[in-house]
């Protein structure tokens, strides 16, 4: 499943959107890609040999990025409501 297919197929048109959407949408997808890459690394044992301190830092950073991405998603929804609702 490619969650970003619609984004990839329309990224060249993103500047046509109103308000902050042209800035927020790429930021959301960039962060989402980082989250997915980290989650895949956790599942494929890329991190299996890392020391606990390093793993904790990775988990902490992932938690922070996830929270920031949720906030950007909420900003996108609000901007869509304001501009197009």
């Amino acid at each position: 499943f490619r969650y970003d297919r619609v984004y990839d197929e329309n990224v060249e048109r993103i500047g046509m959107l109103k308000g902050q959407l042209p800035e927020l949408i790429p930021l959301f997808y960039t962060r989402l890609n980082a989250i997915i890459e980290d989650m895949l690394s956790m599942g494929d044992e890329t991190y299996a040999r890392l020391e606990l301190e390093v793993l904790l830092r990775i988990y902490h950073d992932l938690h922070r990025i996830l929270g920031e991405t949720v906030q950007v998603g909420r900003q996108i929804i609000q901007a869509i409501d304001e501009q197009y609702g």
Side-chain angles (χ1 to χ4, degrees), residues 15-75:
M16 298 170 58
L17 297 172
K18 298 177 183 177
Q20 292 185 318
L21 289 172
E23 298 169 24
L24 293 174
I25 292 172
L27 178 61
F28 178 83
Y29 277 99
T30 300
R31 288 183 176 171
L32 186 59
N33 279 327
I35 292 166
I36 290 171
E37 286 178 17
D38 278 350
M39 298 295 270
L40 290 172
S41 293
M42 286 178 197
D44 70 6
E45 298 191 22
T46 298
Y47 296 159
R49 293 192 172 106
L50 297 178
E51 293 183 20
L52 182 59
E53 185 177 319
V54 174
L55 279 174
L56 289 174
R57 190 172 343 118
I58 290 170
Y59 291 147
H60 178 72
D61 289 345
L62 180 58
H63 180 263
R64 178 185 50 78
I65 293 169
L66 184 57
E68 291 171 354
T69 305
V70 168
Q71 281 301 111
V72 172
R74 289 181 178 145
Q75 289 175 323

